[in-house]
Amino acid sequence: MALCSVGRPLLQNTQRASGCFFKRKQTFCCKANVAQEEEVRLKLRLFPGGSIDLQKQESGIALMTVNNPSRMNAFSGSMMIELEERVCELESWTEGKGLIVQGAAGTFCSGSDLNAVRAISNPQDGMKMCMFMQNTLTRLLRLPLISVALVEGKALGGGAELATACDFRLLTSDAVIQFVHKHMGLVPGWGGAARLVRIVGSQNALKLLAGAKKVDPDFGQQIGLVDGVLTVGEGNSLVETERWLSQFTKGSAPVIRAVKKVVLSGRELSLDEALTTERHVFGTVWGGPANLEALALKTKHK
Ligand SMILES: CCC(=O)SCCNC(=O)CCNC(=O)[C@H](O)C(C)(C)COP(=O)(O)OP(=O)(O)OC[C@H]1O[C@@H](n2cnc3c(N)ncnc32)[C@H](O)[C@@H]1OP(=O)(O)O
């Protein structure tokens, strides 16, 4: 099965909405690579355990849970495959507006399952696994949904990378994000370094990666990695996260999805390409139901 359609422009790509709308070549989006991708899946299946659970709610907000509590929600091979499948499912969820990514049992994610890391010792297989996760997390970030990572407990290594694949990060007051890769003799490979530089700038990214520095909520907010702090003990952090996210997901799905698309194209494309995309996306909402309703109501913005 091909993971996603290749190189179709944003507006024509109605089925797999955001996954691969950029025309740039993407390794796992090319038919020629399907066989290679199947080979990676076979290897990943050798490391089972845990699950990635997805609940699509009527509110238009989906809840994705990284679920492997006996290993602090580390990613087994089968979880990597499930993550890709869940992202695929979200790409075709046309009613969706928002996504919350969380870990099970009060902690976010401790990265790759170290048992799998130890077993996949040769660089070729390591690189294939890394490409698979890099592609999946890129697609996660490109979903036409406003996404937020709800970080409780620890987000370590690949878990920190997963948190950067969301638009926003909310932390409970005792939570920590740490790119521990250097301590493991590694660098991020799931796209976490590239995304981190875009979020916090290269100076801060260098400090976090070269120092494997622990990011608590205060420091995270200072550098722009953390968008809000949830108070542990005062209510349910998931309910608080849903409330926080609803300020951005309130309203019509096509408009919210369009907002995400124009911001994404502004972030990832050249100015000319981004302007073209913006025009096309604008055309999808102009004269649409939400626009006509606002005009009929003579909406004022006091
Ligand atoms: C992409 C690159 C990567 O992600 S490389 C992986 C980076 N992650 C790590 O190195 C995490 C290593 N683990 C730790 O530092 C600690 O276990 C953390 C997460 C801080 C939790 O500490 P603590 O609360 O004391 O619990 P614990 O150590 O007893 O752990 C509970 C059980 O979970 C396991 N666990 C934890 N992390 C992983 C992991 N990444 N892969 C596989 N198993 C993991 C621990 O081994 C422990 O298992 P057990 O109860 O001893 O059987």
Side-chain angles (χ1 to χ4, degrees):
M1 182 190 72
L3 287 183
C4 47
S5 49
V6 189
R8 275 190 288 165
L10 177 62
L11 290 171
Q12 292 163 22
N13 199 350
T14 50
Q15 285 292 304
R16 296 276 173 82
S18 75
C20 297
F21 70 82
F22 299 126
K23 287 178 185 163
R24 290 181 193 134
K25 191 176 168 191
Q26 292 193 352
T27 310
F28 280 92
C29 291
C30 298
K31 279 185 187 163
N33 289 304
V34 171
Q36 197 188 343
E37 181 204 312
E38 275 311 313
E39 187 200 317
V40 179
R41 282 165 186 275
L42 280 176
K43 291 217 163 106
L44 291 175
R45 280 198 190 98
L46 298 174
F47 305 100
S51 61
I52 303 291
D53 306 329
L54 183 66
Q55 234 182 301
K56 289 183 284 188
Q57 307 182 123
E58 264 184 34
S59 60
I61 294 182
L63 182 60
M64 190 192 275
T65 307
V66 180
N67 189 359
N68 193 6
S70 65
R71 293 186 175 170
M72 305 299 279
N73 299 327
F75 264 93
S76 66
S78 59
M79 287 166 73
M80 293 180 187
I81 295 173
E82 282 190 29
L83 179 67
E84 190 278 325
E85 290 167 354
R86 302 292 173 261
V87 169
C88 231
E89 207 178 314
L90 288 170
E91 282 169 352
S92 51
W93 186 38
T94 49
E95 300 84 33
K97 301 194 275 184
L99 171 68
I100 297 172
V101 179
Q102 66 168 6
T107 194
F108 189 68
C109 171
S110 63
S112 271
D113 184 334
L114 291 170
N115 301 298
V117 172
R118 281 182 202 106
I120 305 178
S121 50
N122 74 75
Q124 288 81 7
D125 283 348
M127 274 203 30
K128 284 176 190 164
M129 179 185 83
C130 143
M131 293 267 300
F132 187 87
M133 281 302 281
Q134 196 179 96
N135 180 60
T136 302
L137 293 186
T138 302
R139 289 167 59 196
L140 175 65
L141 184 61
R142 288 178 179 170
L143 286 169
L145 306 172
I146 299 183
S147 57
V148 56
L150 159 54
V151 181
E152 298 176 285
K154 294 199 164 34
L156 302 184
E161 296 192 64
L162 172 65
T164 63
C166 292
D167 298 312
F168 299 110
R169 283 146 294 282
L170 296 183
L171 267 60
T172 51
S173 51
D174 59 347
V176 169
I177 299 177
Q178 190 179 9
F179 292 82
V180 296
H181 305 73
K182 185 191 163 195
H183 291 333
M184 303 298 295
L186 293 171
V187 293
W190 298 358
R195 290 187 296 272
L196 186 65
V197 168
R198 282 160 177 76
I199 298 167
V200 300
S202 59
Q203 292 297 104
N204 284 319
L206 198 54
K207 286 180 195 162
L208 298 195
L209 297 182
K213 210 169 154 42
K214 283 186 182 166
V215 181
D216 64 19
D218 280 350
F219 181 49
Q221 281 188 304
Q222 266 174 45
I223 60 175
L225 184 60
V226 173
D227 298 282
V229 185
L230 305 169
T231 338
V232 177
E234 282 183 22
N236 178 327
S237 19
L238 179 58
V239 172
E240 275 190 66
T241 303
E242 285 191 294
R243 196 177 304 133
W244 186 89
L245 184 57
S246 69
Q247 67 185 304
F248 305 118
T249 54
K250 211 181 301 162
S252 130
V255 175
I256 287 142
R257 295 164 71 86
V259 168
K260 172 71 185 270
K261 286 173 192 169
V262 291
V263 171
L264 187 65
S265 60
R267 186 167 64 205
E268 295 201 9
L269 301 177
S270 72
L271 183 59
D272 280 348
E273 288 173 309
L275 291 172
T276 304
T277 303
E278 190 172 308
R279 275 198 307 277
H280 287 311
V281 176
F282 176 81
T284 66
V285 288
W286 176 269
N291 180 222
L292 295 179
E293 193 185 326
L295 292 172
L297 288 171
K298 299 191 175 157
T299 303
K300 298 215 188 283
H301 311 280
K302 287 183 178 173

